Amino acid sequence: MILLVIFLCGSFLISPSLGSEDLVSQCQSNYLDLLRKHSSLQEKNLEKYAQIIQCQRVHSEVQNKYTEVLQKLNDCNVKYDKLQPKPLEVDTLRAFITQQKEEIELLKYQIGELKEKCELGKLTSQFREDIAKLAEIVKNGEPPRSEVANNDNQENIQAAENTNSNNKTETVEVKTEEIPTTQEDNSRNQTKVIPQPSDRCPESQDYRDILQEIQIPGTSPFKVNCFADEDIGSGWMVVYNKVSFSFAFSRPYEDYERGFGEVSTKADDEFFIGLERLHLLTSEKPYEASLYYDEGLTKCDHFVVGNRSEGYVLRNIGWYTGGSTMGLSQGTKFSTFDRDEDGHADNLAMKKGYGWWFDQNYTRTKNLILLIRRTD
């Protein structure tokens, strides 16, 4: 309206010569024209305002969709993280697979040993019977009583049949003749002495590693790797052989108790003779121990392992030389991932992937080779 008044005043001032009627008519015409333009501008503004409202609505919808998509993306990320296997689970799965393979190999070995023992048992029984018969022949100078009795019975039966056939009653005397024995026969009938398995590794050997059968009184024989070295001498028994970055020793407590692996003379063949055998060996006879690990070699002049009820604790390790971190500490119990007895806040057996006597000063090792030797 201000613009309208200014325009009318201007028109009045500019055209003073015009008549009043003409002036009023012209002002009205201008006013109507301005009204039309103002109305047109208002319509355009309303259209623009409507467009702005529409844009705001679209923007709000897009913002809502963006938020929804972002939420879905976050949900997908969470699900993806859940689906991703954890490193520890992967390591545990690998260790389990390796463990199953080792158990299969161990079962195959045990089946083979059982077959050999069954065949050997049959042969041994037959051999013992033959020895008993030969011993009786050598002692009495005649066949075994059972055979003589059988021969007597056959002769008596034959004599009785002859008597019945002839309708005569005769007393048939059966005489047994002595079987002469010569010096040659006696030499043949001598019992062959079978050497029994030893209870220790030899004090000297021609090779660095040899396989020997060991027997603890009251138990079955088992194979061990007997080791000799210029630095530590001969007579050593390899009881724990673990190589770097291996999952073969990630096993439960029961496996460590009975032992596992294929005992051989190869450096990369992993095995453990068993906690129970270590207890029986070291509790009956005096032993010393040597430990090969990443940092070098350490020796202790005593090595005594307790029984199962004691957690196969290291009863005595004596004095050790050759390093400040033996990796063994007196009074330490044996720990595995399913039986944590190391006294640490962490389960070191699970963390490191093998069972051991973890002490308070234990340091990380990749290779572990434990040897023991009789000292009497």
Side-chain angles (χ1 to χ4, degrees):
M1 293 299 295
I2 296 173
L3 293 175
L4 179 61
V5 173
I6 293 172
F7 178 77
L8 292 174
C9 291
S11 300
F12 179 77
L13 293 173
I14 293 171
S15 307
S17 59
L18 296 176
S20 59
E21 293 179 357
D22 295 336
L23 179 61
V24 172
S25 177
Q26 184 177 0
C27 286
Q28 289 178 348
S29 177
N30 291 337
Y31 175 71
L32 293 174
D33 187 42
L34 287 174
L35 286 176
R36 284 193 296 270
K37 290 181 178 179
H38 180 262
S39 178
S40 177
L41 288 173
Q42 283 184 337
E43 290 178 357
K44 291 181 179 179
N45 289 335
L46 289 174
E47 290 178 0
K48 290 182 179 180
Y49 181 73
Q51 292 177 357
I52 292 172
I53 297 298
Q54 182 67 23
C55 289
Q56 289 179 345
R57 188 183 301 110
V58 173
H59 178 267
S60 179
E61 292 177 356
V62 171
Q63 184 67 31
N64 292 335
K65 289 183 179 179
Y66 172 76
T67 304
E68 184 180 354
V69 171
L70 185 61
Q71 182 63 37
K72 290 182 179 180
L73 179 61
N74 291 333
D75 294 341
C76 290
N77 288 333
V78 172
K79 292 180 180 180
Y80 176 77
D81 292 337
K82 291 181 179 180
L83 291 175
Q84 289 298 311
K86 297 180 180 179
L88 181 59
E89 294 177 352
V90 174
D91 294 341
T92 304
L93 182 59
R94 290 176 179 173
F96 177 75
I97 293 173
T98 305
Q99 174 185 342
Q100 295 301 315
K101 290 181 179 179
E102 292 288 339
E103 290 183 355
I104 291 172
E105 294 297 327
L106 180 60
L107 289 173
K108 289 181 180 179
Y109 174 74
Q110 291 176 349
I111 291 172
E113 280 192 339
L114 289 174
K115 288 182 179 179
E116 292 179 359
K117 288 180 180 179
C118 291
E119 295 177 358
L120 181 61
K122 293 179 181 179
L123 294 175
T124 303
S125 300
Q126 185 64 37
F127 184 65
R128 286 177 180 173
E129 292 178 1
D130 294 341
I131 289 175
K133 292 178 181 179
L134 292 174
E136 191 173 352
I137 291 174
V138 173
K139 181 179 179 180
N140 301 327
E142 58 185 10
R145 297 181 182 275
S146 59
E147 294 184 3
V148 173
N150 290 334
N151 293 333
D152 292 346
N153 292 334
Q154 292 294 332
E155 291 180 2
N156 290 333
I157 293 171
Q158 186 65 36
E161 290 178 353
N162 294 334
T163 303
N164 292 332
S165 62
N166 296 327
N167 295 324
K168 296 179 181 180
T169 58
E170 294 182 1
T171 302
V172 180
E173 295 182 1
V174 180
K175 297 181 179 181
T176 57
E177 297 182 358
E178 295 183 356
I179 301 175
T181 58
T182 62
Q183 184 176 358
E184 182 179 359
D185 294 334
N186 290 332
S187 63
R188 291 177 181 176
N189 295 331
Q190 289 179 354
T191 303
K192 184 178 179 180
V193 178
I194 301 176
Q196 297 298 321
S198 176
D199 61 348
R200 65 192 299 172
C201 283
E203 297 182 1
S204 63
Q205 59 191 59
D206 297 331
Y207 299 96
R208 177 184 175 90
D209 297 271
I210 62 172
L211 283 179
Q212 179 169 314
E213 196 171 59
I214 295 292
Q215 185 172 21
I216 306 171
T219 64
S220 301
F222 57 95
K223 294 179 181 179
V224 297
N225 180 355
C226 294
F227 178 82
D229 185 80
E230 294 181 357
D231 296 332
I232 60 176
S234 302
W236 294 96
M237 183 190 306
V238 183
V239 296
Y240 189 111
N241 187 38
K242 176 190 174 300
V243 300
S244 298
F245 306 108
S246 171
F247 296 99
F249 278 74
S250 180
R251 292 173 173 269
Y253 197 84
E254 291 183 356
D255 286 2
Y256 275 94
E257 187 173 19
R258 63 173 176 263
F260 55 84
E262 179 71 23
V263 178
S264 73
T265 58
K266 296 180 181 179
D268 56 351
D269 282 348
E270 299 176 292
F271 57 86
F272 178 54
I273 71 166
L275 291 168
E276 186 62 25
R277 286 172 178 169
L278 272 182
H279 162 65
L280 294 175
L281 285 169
T282 60
S283 61
E284 295 293 333
K285 301 292 182 179
Y287 274 86
E288 61 181 338
S290 290
L291 179 66
Y292 280 101
Y293 55 105
D294 298 341
E295 289 79 7
L297 171 68
T298 305
K299 289 181 62 178
C300 59
D301 58 2
H302 287 83
F303 188 77
V304 183
V305 178
N307 57 30
R308 176 182 173 83
S309 63
E310 298 172 307
Y312 297 105
V313 64
L314 292 178
R315 290 180 183 172
N316 186 10
I317 65 169
W319 295 93
Y320 65 84
T321 58
S324 59
T325 55
M326 173 68 182
L328 296 172
S329 180
Q330 188 167 309
T332 304
K333 295 182 179 181
F334 196 88
S335 291
T336 57
F337 69 83
D338 63 336
R339 188 166 175 174
D340 183 15
E341 296 185 321
D342 54 29
H344 288 257
D346 296 333
N347 188 332
L348 292 181
M350 178 177 290
K351 185 176 180 180
K352 297 183 180 298
Y354 55 90
W356 190 253
W357 296 273
F358 298 105
D359 66 353
Q360 296 295 328
N361 300 318
Y362 187 81
T363 58
R364 181 177 178 83
T365 54
K366 299 177 182 177
N367 296 285
L368 279 174
I369 304 175
L370 179 63
L371 309 97
I372 61 174
R373 179 172 65 177
R374 285 267 294 273
T375 57
D376 59 347

